Amino acid sequence: MTTFPDGFLWGAATASHQVEGGNVNNHYWQWEHEEHSPFAEKSGDAVDHYHRWREDLDLLAGVGANAYRFSLEWSRIEPEEGEISRAALDHYRRMIDGCRDRGLAPVVTLCHFSTPRWFHNDSSWLGPKSGDRFARFTEVTTPILGDAAYVVTLNEPNLAAALPVLGAMAARGEAVKGLPKPDQALTDAFLAAHRRSLEVLRGAGSPPVGLALVGQEWIAEDGGEERMAEHRAAFEDQFLDAAADGDFVGMQVYSCARIGPDGPVAPKPELVTQAHMEYRPQALGASVRRVREVLPDLPILITENGIATADDAQRIAYTEGALRGLAAAIADGADVRGYLHWSLLDNFEWFSGYAPTFGLVAVDRTTFVRTPKPSLVWLGGVARRNGFPG
């Protein structure tokens, strides 16, 4: 039997804009509706998690999970600058209470990519007021966070800082072979906002606080060692340095980064998943091992790991492979506190729309009927046993 540490968290994750529906006041909704939008489709009602969260939590808790990660929608809480919706705050407080009532540890993310329109349209994160604005939003939310198990300030700032670079590459007609180095000005702005938020949360006596970062297995190909180290330092190491000030680091690992002497190397087509990532379950263990090397004393929480596939048997195989690698890393000394699968529900996957299916639960987007997949039951069994045979 492969077992995990006592008190290990098992669950799944979502993000507000991807599941709630009707987030008309955030910048992604605005972007989706612009002429020549890069989105494959609009988010619309998403999967109506805003109204059906109780049913969704029941599904997760019912199979034996003990944790749920979700995000606050800033644009609902502060639809105009300085205008706070008490109803929205109460909604998220009820979700935290609902998790606790079902034996689910709430892992709450303050900002999972989406921001209010007023924030985005006034220079967004690069504006001189961005740090103050995010600190104020953090302060507004602290009264409802006391019963959270963990608080994440920002989701994947290393990916968010790379998006403008990806956009510029696409505009030039360049082929995207992997994630590029992030924009440094945006990186600096994100990390400054994180530090401001961390300061507010610590001052309020918050539960453990951390960043959630994209992690990868780094692979140097054909003499690409030097280029890989340079790329890794920009995309990962400077963010890990910032995460060291927190109480934990959330790692979100799906695949690997292959780097050659000329930069990122595209995976072989037969290995690519629905989300255009290489199928590589062993990346999770490899990423955790490296984080332990860089930050040996900082606890790790796997805040996302999963695969976009229509084949649920493949999802189970991928997840088991990832968890075996994670268990081996823990056995070798990595301090990992939990595993949250991406995602609980098939949902809106940003530019790709609803085509990539990451969920443990399928959703009919006309009726919103939820249909648990075998992978949900399988992961619930792992959670109940706190491990798996072999």
Side-chain angles (χ1 to χ4, degrees):
M1 186 78 179
T2 298
T3 59
F4 287 77
D6 290 345
F8 199 79
L9 295 183
W10 293 100
T14 63
S16 59
H17 190 66
Q18 295 180 261
V19 295
E20 286 184 350
N23 281 325
V24 299
N25 285 320
N26 79 33
H27 82 280
Y28 273 97
W29 185 280
Q30 175 179 304
W31 198 1
E32 292 161 27
H33 289 79
E34 288 176 354
E35 189 176 3
H36 308 304
S37 166
F39 290 82
E41 56 190 312
K42 300 175 179 67
S43 57
D45 287 329
V47 292
D48 197 30
H49 183 64
Y50 194 81
H51 299 106
R52 300 168 191 263
W53 61 268
R54 294 174 182 84
E55 174 186 352
D56 296 334
L57 295 192
D58 286 343
L59 288 172
L60 186 59
V63 297
N66 62 5
Y68 178 55
R69 179 186 175 216
F70 65 96
S71 70
L72 309 182
E73 178 55 39
W74 185 357
S75 69
R76 288 185 187 268
I77 293 171
E78 192 175 8
E80 295 293 342
E81 185 167 14
E83 183 178 318
I84 305 303
S85 169
R86 297 299 167 189
L89 281 171
D90 285 347
H91 168 82
Y92 293 113
R93 185 196 301 272
R94 287 192 295 272
M95 287 189 67
I96 292 171
D97 292 344
C99 286
R100 288 299 186 186
D101 291 345
R102 292 164 175 81
L104 299 170
V107 180
V108 183
T109 304
L110 298 186
C111 182
H112 196 122
F113 296 149
S114 57
T115 60
R117 289 192 190 196
W118 59 262
F119 177 88
H120 179 77
N121 294 336
D122 188 21
S123 303
S124 190
W125 295 101
L126 293 177
K129 299 178 183 178
S130 64
D132 291 339
R133 287 165 165 169
F134 190 55
R136 184 184 64 222
F137 172 64
T138 303
E139 187 173 358
V140 164
T141 61
T142 53
I144 71 169
L145 296 174
D147 286 329
Y150 292 92
V151 177
V152 175
T153 56
L154 294 171
N155 182 75
E156 297 183 346
N158 48 348
L159 174 59
L163 287 181
V165 183
L166 282 169
M169 292 171 65
R172 294 192 296 267
E174 295 180 27
V176 176
K177 300 177 181 178
L179 294 174
K181 294 179 188 176
D183 177 88
Q184 194 58 48
L186 200 47
T187 293
D188 293 341
F190 280 132
L191 297 183
H194 161 70
R195 287 190 288 270
R196 293 288 304 278
S197 183
L198 178 63
E199 181 181 353
V200 171
L201 290 163
R202 286 260 174 84
S206 167
V209 184
L211 273 175
L213 304 174
V214 172
Q216 300 178 97
E217 178 185 4
W218 294 91
I219 301 172
E221 294 205 338
D222 303 323
E225 287 81 4
E226 185 175 341
R227 191 68 181 269
M228 186 202 70
E230 174 190 314
H231 201 92
R232 185 174 61 190
F235 190 83
E236 185 169 287
D237 291 353
Q238 63 176 326
F239 292 90
L240 288 174
D241 288 344
D245 294 334
D247 303 306
F248 72 97
V249 61
M251 295 306 297
Q252 314 201 154
V253 185
Y254 293 88
S255 188
C256 59
R258 297 183 181 275
I259 311 293
D262 297 321
V265 176
K268 295 178 180 178
E270 63 270 21
L271 296 177
V272 174
T273 69
Q274 286 179 340
H276 310 294
M277 290 185 259
E278 179 175 334
Y279 180 93
R280 193 160 178 91
Q282 59 264 50
L284 180 59
S287 176
V288 165
R289 288 176 184 277
R290 181 159 195 282
V291 173
R292 184 198 172 210
E293 290 174 6
V294 176
L295 300 173
D297 299 321
L298 192 66
I300 301 167
L301 183 64
I302 306 306
T303 40
E304 291 182 23
N305 172 253
I307 178 175
T309 179
D311 180 352
D312 201 54
Q314 185 185 43
R315 188 183 330 282
I316 293 172
Y318 172 93
T319 307
E320 181 172 352
L323 288 174
R324 289 192 183 280
L326 181 64
I330 293 171
D332 288 341
D335 182 5
V336 182
R337 304 294 176 88
Y339 173 88
L340 303 173
H341 190 87
W342 185 269
S343 171
L344 176 59
L345 306 161
D346 286 342
N347 59 34
F348 180 71
E349 283 296 332
W350 308 108
F351 300 104
S352 299
Y354 291 95
T357 48
F358 280 93
L360 300 168
V361 177
V363 182
D364 184 310
R365 291 186 50 243
T366 301
T367 64
F368 299 115
V369 168
R370 273 70 169 144
T371 303
K373 302 176 186 179
S375 54
L376 177 67
V377 178
W378 179 87
L379 186 61
V382 175
R384 287 193 304 273
R385 294 187 300 269
N386 200 33
F388 39 78

